[in-house]
Amino acid sequence: MPTTAPSSFRFARRTERLRPSAIREILKATELPDVISFAGGLPAPELFPVDDFARAAQEVLSEDRSSAMQYSTTEGYPPLRQWVCEHLAEAVNLRCSPEQILITNGSQQALDLVAKVLIDPGDIVLVENPAYLGALQAFDAYEANVVGVRSDDAGIDTFDLRRVIAQCPQKPKLLYLIPNFQNPTGVSMSLERRSEVAKIAAEQGIPILEDDPYGRLRYAGSEQPAIAALPQTRNCIYTGTSSKIMAPGMRVAWLVVPEAEVYEKLIPAKQAADLHTSTFTQRIVWRYARRPGVLEAHIKILLESYRRRRDAMLESLTEHMPQGCTWTHPDGGLFLWVRVPESIDTLDLLRAATARKVAFVPGQPFWVGGNVHNTMRLNFSNATEQKIREGIRRLGEALAQLAQSPAAVSV
Amino acid sequence: MPTTAPSSFRFARRTERLRPSAIREILKATELPDVISFAGGLPAPELFPVDDFARAAQEVLSEDRSSAMQYSTTEGYPPLRQWVCEHLAEAVNLRCSPEQILITNGSQQALDLVAKVLIDPGDIVLVENPAYLGALQAFDAYEANVVGVRSDDAGIDTFDLRRVIAQCPQKPKLLYLIPNFQNPTGVSMSLERRSEVAKIAAEQGIPILEDDPYGRLRYAGSEQPAIAALPQTRNCIYTGTSSKIMAPGMRVAWLVVPEAEVYEKLIPAKQAADLHTSTFTQRIVWRYARRPGVLEAHIKILLESYRRRRDAMLESLTEHMPQGCTWTHPDGGLFLWVRVPESIDTLDLLRAATARKVAFVPGQPFWVGGNVHNTMRLNFSNATEQKIREGIRRLGEALAQLAQSPAAVSV
C-alpha cells in the first residue's frame, strides 16, 4: 500500500483536541512485566470469574445459538435491559424501566453518545476538578468548553458550583459527576452534597450526567443513593457498567435515560456510531448476572481483596511518603490521589519512578485549566499487597531523591 | 425516576440530522415471524458457524483466560491485526502491515471514526447515488455536506464525478465508495472504473474511503482488486468486516490506514468513542479465522446458498414483476435494487406489501438530493428460496393492485 504519496487528508478541527498524550508514551515504557504499575485503572485479572463466564458463553452458544451471532437492536438485549433495572433498584435505589435503558459499548461510549446529542462546539460542560480523563476526551471530541469546579473531600464544592454557574457566559449544557469514589481522586460525595448539587442543577436547569462505574466497590462507610434517584433531581442521565464488577473486556455498559425525548436522540446517535453493542457479549453478561447469588458472591470477593489492597497502600504511604505529601482515603473504588510538595513535578517523579520500575499517572492531565503539576493518581486494584508495599517504598525513594536534586533525574 | 419534570436538555445541532426514520417505524410492523422480509441486510442465521464459534470461545476462555476479559489496547488484538493483513493480501491483493490496522466495533464504527477525524460541519463528502444509509447517517452526525454522484451498472460514473468535483464550492474532504456489490444497488465497479476513479481522486487530491463488507461474497464474474491496492491510488482508507463472512453479532471489523498521521488521529478518536473493541470477541474471531481452511470452507457454504437465493429472486422477479419494472443483476453481496414505474411510490407499495406480509426497504432514504420515490432495495440472503419465490409473488400482486388503484391502499 503506498504510504509515501503526498497526503491529501485534511483533518477536522476537533482532532486538534484529540492528541496522543505524552504521558501515554512514557507509560508505554512501564508496561513491562517487571514494573509495578499503579498507572492503569485495571481490575485484578486473577479475580475475574473466568469459569462462570465460560459457563455463560457455553449456555449462550448452546441455547441461543444463531441469535447470539446475528445483528440485534440498537437499544440492547431486552433481558439484559430488564436485569439492569432490577440491579439498579437494589444497588442504588434507582427506579427505571427497560425502555429507559440503552446498552453501550462500555461506559466510555455512554459518555460519547451523551456528548454527541448535547454538545455543540463551545458549549459549556461543568466537571469536578480534577476530572476523569476519559470524560474530558469524550467532551473534547465535540469541542466542548469544559469548565472545572473546585472539589474537596466530599466531592464537588457547591459554593464554587454556584459561583462558576453565575460566571458562565452562557448556561452550561451539562454537569458531569462521578459521585462514588471518583476517578482520579477516590473521593465520594456525601448525601448532603448530592442533594445540594441536585437542587442547584434543578434550579438552574442544568442536566446532570452521573457516571457510576465504581459504586458497588465500597470498602467502608454506608451506601449512598444515586443522584438520579434523589427527589430533588430533575433531568439526570445515569451510566453504569459491568466492567468493574464483571469484566471490562466484554464492553457492556448501560445508560439510564429518564426522558423519552433524549432517549430517542440517543438511538440514532448509537446507530450512526456502531449500530449496536455485541449481541454475544450482552447475552453472556446477562446469563452470568441472572444466576441468583453469583454476581453478589463475586462482588464480595472483589471487596475483600480490594479493601486489603487499599489498606496496604494507605499504610505504605504513611510509612514511605516524605513530609509534605497528602493523599485521599477512599471508601471504595480503584484509585487514590496524592499531592506532593509544590517543588516537585510528578512528571519528573514519573521518570525517576520508572527508573525504579514503578509507575503511576501524573495528575496534570486530569486538571481542567490551571497548571497543577504536583499531584498523581495511584491505582490499588491491580497489584498484590506485597507489590503495593514494595512499589510505594520505591516511590518514596524516588520522591526523596527528587526532593534532594530535582534536576538530576530529568531526562 | 422523575420523568415529568420540565426538560432542561438542549440538543446539539447535529441531532437535527439524526432523526428516527419513518420507514424504520413501518418496518417494525414487518418484524413478525410470519412476514417474509427482504428488508434487512441480515446474513442467513441458519448458516452461522455456531459450533466452530463455540469451540473458539471455549479455547479463548480456557487458554487466554483472564486476558480475554481485561481491558486491552485501542488498536486491537495484535494476532487479529496480523491475520487481517494476511487475509487482505490473499483476498483483495491489498498489502499492509499490522501497524496500519485498527480494529473497530463493526464497520459502522469505522465509518464513524473516519468521519470524526476528517469532517467539519459543511465539509463535502462525495458518495455514489444512491448510497449506503449507514454511511449517510455517520456523515450526517458530523454535519457533512453529502453530495451524490451518478452511478450506473458499473458503479460510480467517472464523467459525473469530474463534473461534480468541478462544481463543488470547496475541495471535497472524502470520496466514499462500496466498489463490490454496493449497498443498496448490488452493483460492482469494473476494474477500468476503479482505476479511473483512483486516478481522478489522486489528481484532485481527494482521499477515498473504500468500504468492502461484501467483497468475499461473489457468485459470478471475476475477483477485482481493492481500489486501495491499485497502483494509481493515493490516500485510500479501506474498511472490511467479519460480519458478513462470520457473524455480525461479534462486532469485529477493521480499518486499513496507510498513513501513520491519519492512524494516529484515529487512535484517540476511538479511545474517546469506546476505548477499544471487545477483547473477548476479537480473540474469538481470531481463533476461528486462524484455523486452516475453516473460514474458506464456511465462505464456500455461504456462496452456494446465497447464489441460489439470488438466482431464485432474479427468476421470480422475471416471473412476477409487471411491465415497466427493472432491476440490477448483482454478481455478489446481499442486495438487489428494483425500479418500478414512476407512477408508483414505493412507500405506498410498502404499505400494500405489508398487508400481504412481505417487506422491503423503499429506496428514497438512500438517495442523496432529488426525490426519487420509485426504487426499492431487496435483500436475498435472509430467506429461503421458497420464501423468496412466495415473497416476490406477493410483491408482484401488491404492485399490480397499486398500478390499478394507487389511492386505495394509502393509509
Side-chain angles (χ1 to χ4, degrees):
Chain A
M1 229 171 159
T3 60
T4 53
S7 175
S8 55
F9 290 101
R10 288 160 296 139
F11 297 109
R13 199 178 56 184
R14 70 180 67 80
T15 59
E16 290 165 26
R17 310 270 201 107
L18 291 169
R19 286 169 218 259
S21 136
I23 288 168
R24 195 168 169 245
E25 296 311 305
I26 298 178
L27 289 176
K28 270 194 179 166
T30 70
E31 283 166 10
L32 300 167
D34 62 337
V35 170
I36 298 175
S37 180
F38 306 133
L42 305 187
E46 69 277 18
L47 302 180
F48 284 143
V50 182
D51 294 325
D52 285 325
F53 263 73
R55 177 181 162 158
Q58 197 68 0
E59 262 184 46
V60 168
L61 281 163
S62 65
E63 293 178 28
D64 302 349
R65 298 199 53 88
S66 64
S67 38
M69 298 173 73
Q70 188 57 287
Y71 284 111
S72 59
T73 57
T74 303
E75 291 84 348
Y77 182 48
L80 178 63
R81 293 161 73 203
Q82 177 67 47
W83 175 83
V84 169
C85 291
E86 290 158 15
H87 180 74
L88 292 177
E90 271 179 54
V92 289
N93 198 31
L94 184 58
R95 310 278 156 184
C96 52
S97 70
E99 293 68 40
Q100 297 174 316
I101 307 291
L102 170 58
I103 303 297
T104 60
N105 199 39
S107 61
Q108 183 68 33
Q109 189 183 49
L111 308 183
D112 175 73
L113 294 176
V114 170
K116 195 167 193 167
V117 303
L118 293 183
I119 308 304
D120 280 317
D123 280 349
I124 295 171
V125 175
L126 303 177
V127 302
E128 299 151 284
N129 208 2
Y132 170 50
L133 206 50
L136 297 179
Q137 286 173 324
F139 302 144
D140 275 350
Y142 298 97
E143 300 175 77
N145 177 7
V146 178
V147 177
V149 178
R150 217 173 70 78
S151 65
D152 59 24
D153 59 6
I156 195 166
D157 177 332
T158 50
F159 289 98
D160 200 51
L161 178 59
R162 285 189 194 278
R163 182 192 65 82
V164 168
I165 293 171
Q167 286 182 357
C168 280
Q170 74 228 40
K171 189 195 277 195
K173 273 277 185 84
L174 192 65
L175 168 58
Y176 170 77
L177 297 168
I178 304 181
N180 294 316
F181 328 125
Q182 196 236 14
N183 182 349
T185 63
V187 157
S188 290
M189 286 172 71
S190 65
L191 178 56
E192 193 191 347
R193 204 59 83 82
R194 289 170 201 242
S195 303
E196 181 68 10
V197 166
K199 194 171 147 247
I200 295 171
E203 275 170 18
Q204 303 281 336
I206 301 169
I208 295 173
L209 173 54
E210 178 176 23
D211 186 4
D212 190 21
Y214 319 111
R216 297 302 313 275
L217 302 177
R218 177 177 283 279
Y219 322 126
S222 56
E223 297 288 340
Q224 298 296 333
I227 292 179
L230 295 177
Q232 297 90 335
T233 299
R234 299 283 173 272
N235 310 126
C236 179
I237 299 175
Y238 174 96
T239 177
T241 178
S242 69
S243 292
K244 306 305 187 295
I245 51 174
M246 300 181 208
M250 300 293 139
R251 311 309 296 130
V252 172
W254 39 87
L255 270 168
V256 185
V257 187
E259 285 167 309
E261 197 195 359
V262 182
Y263 192 89
E264 280 154 24
K265 299 280 186 189
L266 287 164
I267 296 302
K270 165 87 176 156
Q271 259 190 313
D274 66 358
L275 297 184
H276 63 82
T277 295
S278 167
T279 320
F280 187 52
T281 60
Q282 287 189 71
R283 285 170 187 249
I284 292 174
V285 165
W286 176 68
R287 291 212 176 240
Y288 170 79
R290 71 167 182 158
R291 285 177 56 210
V294 170
L295 175 62
E296 294 310 314
H298 176 61
I299 291 175
K300 215 176 144 202
I301 292 169
L302 295 180
L303 293 183
E304 281 165 17
S305 192
Y306 291 174
R307 181 190 292 114
R308 282 202 304 272
R309 291 175 183 194
R310 178 201 63 161
D311 293 346
M313 189 171 275
L314 287 170
E315 285 164 23
S316 307
L317 286 167
T318 304
E319 189 173 348
H320 298 293
M321 286 296 105
Q323 264 218 319
C325 296
T326 58
W327 51 90
T328 58
H329 293 70
D331 284 342
L334 308 181
F335 305 106
L336 56 77
W337 184 246
V338 179
R339 190 177 283 267
V340 299
E342 284 214 13
S343 58
I344 291 171
D345 186 323
T346 48
L347 203 58
D348 294 331
L349 180 62
L350 178 60
R351 293 193 186 93
T354 302
R356 285 175 173 77
K357 295 189 182 293
V358 60
F360 60 86
V361 183
Q364 195 272 326
F366 297 94
W367 289 99
V368 178
N371 184 20
V372 183
H373 57 269
N374 63 326
T375 55
M376 60 182 160
R377 189 190 75 176
L378 301 182
N379 166 266
F380 53 77
S381 59
N382 192 39
T384 60
E385 289 159 71
Q386 195 193 345
K387 286 202 167 170
I388 287 173
R389 292 182 199 279
E390 172 59 18
I392 297 295
R393 192 192 62 74
R394 294 185 200 169
L395 194 60
E397 260 183 27
L399 257 170
Q401 184 205 343
L402 209 63
Q404 282 166 17
S405 55
V409 296
S410 290
V411 284
Chain B
M1 225 172 163
T3 60
T4 52
S7 176
S8 55
F9 291 101
R10 288 160 296 140
F11 296 109
R13 198 178 57 183
R14 72 180 66 80
T15 61
E16 289 165 26
R17 311 268 200 108
L18 291 169
R19 287 168 217 260
S21 133
I23 288 168
R24 197 169 169 243
E25 295 312 304
I26 299 177
L27 290 176
K28 270 194 179 164
T30 70
E31 283 166 9
L32 301 166
D34 62 338
V35 170
I36 298 174
S37 181
F38 306 133
L42 305 186
E46 70 276 16
L47 302 180
F48 284 143
V50 181
D51 294 324
D52 284 326
F53 263 72
R55 177 180 162 160
Q58 197 67 0
E59 261 184 46
V60 168
L61 282 163
S62 65
E63 294 179 26
D64 302 348
R65 298 198 55 87
S66 64
S67 38
M69 299 174 73
Q70 187 60 287
Y71 285 110
S72 58
T73 56
T74 303
E75 291 83 348
Y77 183 49
L80 178 62
R81 294 162 73 202
Q82 177 67 47
W83 175 84
V84 168
C85 291
E86 291 157 13
H87 180 75
L88 292 177
E90 271 179 53
V92 290
N93 198 32
L94 184 58
R95 309 279 154 184
C96 52
S97 70
E99 293 68 38
Q100 296 174 316
I101 307 291
L102 170 59
I103 303 296
T104 61
N105 199 39
S107 60
Q108 183 68 33
Q109 188 183 50
L111 308 184
D112 176 73
L113 294 177
V114 171
K116 196 167 192 167
V117 303
L118 293 182
I119 308 303
D120 279 318
D123 279 349
I124 295 171
V125 175
L126 303 178
V127 301
E128 297 152 285
N129 208 2
Y132 170 50
L133 206 50
L136 297 179
Q137 287 173 325
F139 302 144
D140 276 351
Y142 298 97
E143 301 175 76
N145 178 9
V146 179
V147 176
V149 179
R150 217 173 70 77
S151 64
D152 58 24
D153 58 6
I156 195 165
D157 176 333
T158 49
F159 290 98
D160 200 52
L161 178 60
R162 285 189 194 276
R163 183 191 64 82
V164 168
I165 293 170
Q167 286 182 357
C168 280
Q170 74 228 41
K171 190 196 277 197
K173 273 279 184 84
L174 193 65
L175 167 59
Y176 170 76
L177 298 169
I178 306 182
N180 293 317
F181 328 124
Q182 196 236 13
N183 183 348
T185 63
V187 157
S188 290
M189 286 173 72
S190 64
L191 178 57
E192 193 191 345
R193 204 64 81 81
R194 289 171 200 241
S195 303
E196 181 69 12
V197 165
K199 195 173 145 242
I200 295 171
E203 274 170 19
Q204 303 282 335
I206 302 170
I208 295 173
L209 174 54
E210 178 175 26
D211 187 3
D212 189 20
Y214 318 112
R216 297 301 313 276
L217 302 176
R218 176 178 283 280
Y219 322 127
S222 55
E223 296 288 341
Q224 299 296 335
I227 292 179
L230 295 177
Q232 297 88 338
T233 299
R234 298 284 174 274
N235 308 129
C236 179
I237 299 175
Y238 175 95
T239 175
T241 177
S242 69
S243 291
K244 306 305 188 295
I245 52 173
M246 301 181 208
M250 299 294 139
R251 314 306 298 130
V252 172
W254 40 86
L255 271 168
V256 185
V257 187
E259 284 168 307
E261 196 196 0
V262 182
Y263 192 89
E264 280 154 24
K265 299 280 185 189
L266 287 164
I267 295 302
K270 165 90 177 154
Q271 259 191 313
D274 65 358
L275 297 185
H276 64 81
T277 296
S278 167
T279 320
F280 187 51
T281 61
Q282 287 189 71
R283 285 170 188 249
I284 292 174
V285 164
W286 176 70
R287 290 211 176 243
Y288 170 79
R290 71 167 182 156
R291 285 176 56 212
V294 170
L295 175 61
E296 293 309 313
H298 176 61
I299 290 176
K300 215 176 145 202
I301 291 168
L302 294 179
L303 293 182
E304 281 166 15
S305 193
Y306 290 173
R307 182 189 291 115
R308 281 202 305 270
R309 291 175 184 195
R310 178 201 63 161
D311 292 346
M313 189 170 274
L314 287 170
E315 285 164 22
S316 308
L317 286 167
T318 305
E319 189 173 348
H320 298 294
M321 287 295 106
Q323 266 220 315
C325 297
T326 58
W327 50 89
T328 58
H329 293 70
D331 283 342
L334 308 181
F335 305 106
L336 57 77
W337 184 247
V338 180
R339 191 176 282 267
V340 300
E342 283 215 12
S343 59
I344 291 171
D345 186 323
T346 48
L347 204 57
D348 294 332
L349 180 63
L350 178 60
R351 293 193 186 92
T354 302
R356 285 174 172 79
K357 296 188 182 295
V358 60
F360 60 87
V361 182
Q364 194 272 325
F366 297 95
W367 289 99
V368 177
N371 185 20
V372 183
H373 57 269
N374 63 326
T375 55
M376 58 182 163
R377 189 190 74 178
L378 302 182
N379 165 266
F380 53 78
S381 60
N382 191 39
T384 60
E385 288 159 72
Q386 195 193 344
K387 285 203 168 170
I388 286 172
R389 292 182 199 279
E390 173 59 18
I392 296 295
R393 193 192 62 74
R394 293 184 201 170
L395 195 60
E397 261 184 25
L399 256 170
Q401 185 206 340
L402 208 65
Q404 280 165 19
S405 56
V409 295
S410 290
V411 286

